[in-house]
Amino acid sequence: EQRPPPSASNSEVKSADTFFENFVITASVQTRNMQEQAWDVTASEEASGTRLSFHCWPSSRLEATRCVAPLGALYTPLKKLPPTCAPPSALQYDPIRCATATCHAVLNPYCQVDYRSKLWVCPFCLGRNHFPPHYAENISETNLPAELIPQYATCEYELQTVPPQGPPVFLFVVDTCGHAEELAELADSLQQALNLLPEDSLVGLITYGTNVQVHELGFEGVPKAYVLRGNKEYAPAKVGELLGCTAHKYRAQQQGAGQQGGGHPGAPPPP
């Protein structure tokens, strides 16, 4: 004769439910902690000076079409990076670029390197590239150039093929469609940013709301701005003509300044 198994009491059922709920909560907390440790976005931004709209690059065109947000990056100019995250000084040579005609990505720590064949694989297009002779002669697993050192994901180059462009130029583009409190905080942030710029910097200001205003900052007493209608489209050549900064006029001004001895051909245009 078979006897039915004894039924569980209410207390046993409740204890089992409580154990299961505690297990689920613990597992969720552990998973969240692992995700936070693996994706410390703030630390990554502080180390590289960049904020990305993505953390995983699409590996195919099909994946690229499925991206919800466009791929983009914001970077902080002149940011002082920690010495453990970037070379201590700018690299005095041009970067090594991918030879694929539609790519031209720069050699970086995420590239796969074949030290025996002296090849590197671009992580963007998966193209195989040969190292230049002066790289191939010396590169090894224990002797890496700065751009392949794993922690140096950000490198600054001083291009040897580009002539000096003069002092740095900072153009602030401000959206004025906001509350007065927000605009006041924004004005304070802009003042702080201006105090951090190099002394020889050139500064420009554009504000936009219903219309677009290009401000002339050379006049302290009387504010001056060029106003462009917001409901009208302007061709780039027309905008240059209205602002008086076309290439032809700029060259004429530089030639006249050079003849008068009041400037040099490499001088940047006025802000």
Side-chain angles (χ1 to χ4, degrees):
E1 180 181 3
Q2 295 182 354
R3 296 182 179 180
S7 58
S9 63
N10 292 335
S11 60
E12 292 177 345
V13 173
K14 290 181 178 179
S15 61
D17 292 343
T18 303
F19 171 78
F20 179 74
E21 291 176 359
N22 292 336
F23 175 79
V24 172
I25 293 174
T26 303
S28 300
V29 172
Q30 292 177 349
T31 302
R32 185 168 61 251
N33 291 338
M34 292 176 61
Q35 292 176 346
E36 291 177 353
Q37 293 176 0
W39 296 102
D40 192 347
V41 179
T42 304
S44 176
E45 293 177 354
E46 184 64 25
S48 64
T50 59
R51 173 171 296 182
L52 309 177
S53 65
F54 59 91
H55 292 284
C56 185
W57 189 265
S59 59
S60 65
R61 291 189 177 184
L62 180 60
E63 288 187 3
T65 59
R66 294 176 178 174
C67 291
V68 178
L71 302 180
L74 298 175
Y75 70 95
T76 306
L78 304 180
K79 179 177 175 60
K80 300 297 182 181
L81 298 179
T84 56
C85 301
S89 61
L91 304 181
Q92 304 293 324
Y93 50 85
D94 292 351
I96 305 301
R97 294 186 178 274
C98 176
T100 304
T102 57
C103 182
H104 300 301
V106 173
L107 181 67
N108 60 82
Y110 301 102
C111 298
Q112 297 181 6
V113 179
D114 186 344
Y115 297 100
R116 180 172 300 178
S117 302
K118 308 299 183 182
L119 296 172
W120 62 278
V121 180
C122 176
F124 295 97
C125 69
L126 303 182
R128 297 171 63 86
N129 302 269
H130 289 276
F131 282 107
H134 61 284
Y135 270 67
E137 292 174 359
N138 304 311
I139 193 170
S140 66
E141 296 182 4
T142 58
N143 186 26
L144 296 175
E147 54 265 50
L148 283 179
I149 297 178
Q151 63 266 30
Y152 288 174
T154 299
C155 292
E156 181 182 0
Y157 293 88
E158 288 189 5
L159 303 180
Q160 305 301 308
T161 57
V162 178
Q165 301 297 306
V169 178
F170 297 88
L171 184 61
F172 294 91
V173 183
V174 180
D175 183 359
T176 57
C177 296
H179 298 289
E181 296 79 5
E182 296 178 350
L183 295 178
E185 295 178 357
L186 177 59
D188 182 65
S189 299
L190 291 177
Q191 289 287 349
Q192 297 180 22
L194 290 173
N195 293 330
L196 298 176
L197 298 182
E199 295 182 357
D200 61 341
S201 300
L202 301 178
V203 178
L205 175 63
I206 297 177
T207 58
Y208 64 95
T210 303
N211 298 315
V212 179
Q213 294 183 323
V214 182
H215 297 266
E216 179 65 75
L217 303 181
F219 302 91
E220 297 181 359
V222 181
K224 181 180 180 181
Y226 299 89
V227 181
L228 305 177
R229 294 172 55 183
N231 58 356
K232 181 181 178 180
E233 293 187 6
Y234 296 86
K238 183 63 175 178
V239 175
E241 180 182 351
L242 294 174
L243 299 180
C245 57
T246 58
H248 177 73
K249 184 174 181 179
Y250 173 61
R251 294 194 194 97
Q253 291 177 348
Q254 293 303 310
Q255 291 176 359
Q259 293 175 359
Q260 297 176 4
H264 57 86

